[in-house]
Amino acid sequence: MTDFTTLIQQHFGALSANDLNTICMYFREEKLGKNEFFTQTGQRCNRLSIVKSGILRIYALSEEKEITQWLSVPDSFITEVVGFFFHQPNRWNIQAFTEVELLTITKTDYQKLCKEFPKWNEIEKQFIIKCFMMMEDRIFSHLSMTAEERYNRYFDHQKELFTQVPFQYIASVLGMTPETFSRIRKRQAEKS
């Protein structure tokens, strides 16, 4: 994992040493065992974390299938946005796919940080904007790229996941069936 203070600055811009110390005081180390839930559908997520190590899977169960929305890897933020920010029941399950180490701030401490450190409101705004940009980028890729282009792009950015998680999870993240994913994967292997 990238150093915590470096990671905060990468995501939110340059901050003073005092600002970074204030933020760091509120984050605590947390560990999840493999298959342990960070939060579940119907609950209200009460924490926001940065992944230090391991992989978490964000997914939902529908009547017809299981939908993997995202796979969180080291240096990424993790929370259930609807639950954490809007106090509504979670739509998604977030489960440790491997053993996971996190740096976590609880909702209560998050609210204290907002009061003690007014600059945090700007950081929060940037976090939500980054979430929105990721969502918008994902929608754009699903609407404008072929399945093979989405596969190649994801492979270029998350190559390590292709050896660590079942392909049906990656296929779901990419909005394709496992069969389409397998065909594309076979074509890519033939090109190599």
Side-chain angles (χ1 to χ4, degrees):
M1 177 189 170
T2 305
D3 171 74
F4 179 70
T5 56
T6 304
L7 185 68
I8 292 293
Q9 290 183 319
Q10 284 173 351
H11 281 278
F12 306 116
L15 296 165
S16 72
N18 284 342
D19 291 348
L20 288 168
N21 285 336
T22 300
I23 294 168
C24 289
M25 285 183 349
Y26 284 94
F27 282 82
R28 305 280 181 255
E29 292 200 9
E30 178 183 8
K31 292 184 181 185
L32 296 176
K34 183 177 180 175
N35 296 323
E36 192 174 338
F37 283 93
F38 179 84
T39 193
Q40 291 183 272
T41 301
Q43 295 178 346
R44 284 187 175 82
C45 187
N46 64 355
R47 62 200 197 269
L48 177 142
S49 299
I50 299 169
V51 181
K52 284 179 64 177
S53 67
I55 301 168
L56 292 116
R57 183 168 76 107
I58 297 93
Y59 70 96
L61 303 171
S62 75
E63 290 180 22
E64 298 139 19
K65 61 183 177 178
E66 192 173 275
I67 303 160
T68 299
Q69 189 251 9
W70 197 252
L71 296 163
S72 283
V73 296
D75 296 343
S76 60
F77 283 83
I78 187 80
T79 192
E80 213 286 353
V81 173
V82 169
F84 189 79
F85 288 104
F86 301 104
H87 315 289
Q88 295 178 10
N90 300 342
R91 288 183 252 185
W92 302 98
N93 294 296
I94 302 176
Q95 186 177 25
F97 182 75
T98 62
E99 289 189 3
V100 175
E101 292 182 47
L102 305 165
L103 290 170
T104 298
I105 186 168
T106 65
K107 181 70 176 180
T108 302
D109 282 345
Y110 189 91
Q111 291 167 335
K112 288 179 190 173
L113 180 59
C114 289
K115 288 178 184 165
E116 179 185 327
F117 183 57
K119 194 173 183 177
W120 185 256
N121 291 321
E122 182 60 31
I123 291 171
E124 177 185 61
K125 180 179 167 185
Q126 288 182 35
F127 174 76
I128 292 171
I129 289 168
K130 283 182 182 281
C131 291
F132 183 77
M133 285 173 36
M134 285 175 52
M135 182 180 67
E136 189 177 68
D137 185 52
R138 189 155 175 217
I139 291 167
F140 181 79
S141 71
H142 278 68
L143 295 174
S144 67
M145 299 170 85
T146 66
E148 192 151 355
E149 289 169 333
R150 290 193 311 274
Y151 176 101
N152 290 333
R153 184 175 184 211
Y154 197 77
F155 185 81
D156 289 344
H157 290 94
Q158 301 291 344
K159 190 177 294 188
E160 70 283 354
L161 288 177
F162 284 69
T163 59
Q164 297 176 329
V165 300
F167 292 138
Q168 73 261 24
Y169 298 160
I170 299 172
S172 184
V173 168
L174 295 173
M176 61 182 78
T177 65
E179 295 78 19
T180 299
F181 183 92
S182 292
R183 281 194 299 275
I184 293 169
R185 185 171 165 263
K186 183 178 177 185
R187 277 196 302 269
Q188 294 302 317
E190 290 168 356
K191 289 180 184 178
S192 301

